[in-house]
Amino acid sequence: MNKIFPQGDGNGNAAAGTKALPGGEAGFGSLCCSRRGACLSAFLLLLLVTLAALIALVTILGLPPRTPGVQTCVTLMNRTGFLCHDRRSCVPASRVCDGVRTCAQGEDEDEAMCRDVPQSLPSFLMARCGDPTSWIYSDQKCDGINNCGDCSDELSPVTACPPCGPGWWRCPSTVFKYCDCIPRVLCRDHTQHCSDWSDEYSCPGP
């Protein structure tokens, strides 16, 4: 015998005597939406709490100090210098990495910058001598002193320096410390400092 199954009507409604499953599609969709909404709300709440905590931490501790890159400056003696992080203090190049903290925050003795001198120094802080293996600080160039030991930091062709200043007398020096200029205070002191004796006979003195 063939079984006859009840058919729905033309509108798609189940025939009488059939039962719908409990918690049908509408109920299932509502449950999913409810759970998703709860998860989203919890996530947003956590995000807001984290943001509030960060704001409170910054308010209490303050913003971290801004660390600018290494920059050059000009000292009061018109020499190359190292600009401190306060943007006001200018440390002479030769006082960088000398073991003494001159900048308020000690950045002139920064470990990374001073780890392997002169290779770790910024290029503006150092100068090469005639002997490429020798170097000096950039503010020691053209200062009248034989810092390189061969006068290459004072004389051409390695270095182009301006003429002797008003406090100097130009002559071929017999003193290792000087090159082609000597301090005028050495003139007329009854001691030869120039190979031509001009410091004793021609130099007018200080």
Side-chain angles (χ1 to χ4, degrees):
M1 179 182 294
N2 295 329
K3 294 184 178 179
I4 299 175
F5 293 92
Q7 301 294 323
D9 59 19
N11 295 324
N13 297 322
T18 62
K19 296 182 178 179
L21 292 174
E25 293 182 359
F28 180 73
S30 299
L31 182 60
C32 287
C33 290
S34 177
R35 289 180 178 175
R36 288 177 183 171
C39 291
L40 183 60
S41 297
F43 174 76
L44 290 175
L45 181 61
L46 179 62
L47 187 62
L48 290 173
V49 170
T50 304
L51 183 61
L54 287 175
I55 294 175
L57 188 63
V58 169
T59 302
I60 295 173
L61 301 180
L63 291 171
R66 180 178 177 268
T67 304
V70 177
Q71 296 187 39
T72 184
C73 58
V74 179
T75 67
L76 295 177
M77 301 297 293
N78 199 30
R79 294 285 173 177
T80 301
F82 173 89
L83 184 64
C84 296
H85 289 172
D86 62 10
R87 313 288 294 177
R88 295 187 302 273
S89 305
C90 187
V91 178
S94 54
R95 292 178 62 185
V96 175
C97 297
D98 63 348
V100 179
R101 293 163 59 100
T102 306
C103 292
Q105 300 178 34
E107 55 270 26
D108 56 308
E109 301 297 320
D110 179 74
E111 181 181 355
M113 182 173 62
C114 303
R115 180 183 296 120
D116 187 21
V117 174
Q119 285 77 13
S120 57
L121 285 175
S123 59
F124 68 83
L125 288 178
M126 51 89 65
R128 293 288 179 183
C129 297
D131 178 359
T133 62
S134 300
W135 68 280
I136 60 172
Y137 282 101
S138 54
D139 64 336
Q140 295 174 324
K141 185 170 62 174
C142 299
D143 65 349
I145 308 299
N146 182 16
N147 295 292
C148 282
D150 59 0
C151 283
S152 59
D153 55 311
E154 300 295 321
L155 303 176
S156 60
V158 177
T159 306
C161 295
C164 301
W168 297 76
W169 173 255
R170 185 177 183 84
C171 73
S173 174
T174 61
V175 183
F176 177 80
K177 182 178 180 180
Y178 305 110
C179 296
D180 63 345
C181 300
I182 65 168
R184 283 181 177 267
V185 294
L186 299 179
C187 294
R188 309 278 179 169
D189 66 349
H190 307 291
T191 302
Q192 182 186 12
H193 299 289
C194 298
S195 61
D196 58 3
W197 286 92
S198 62
D199 57 311
E200 295 301 314
Y201 296 106
S202 301
C203 178

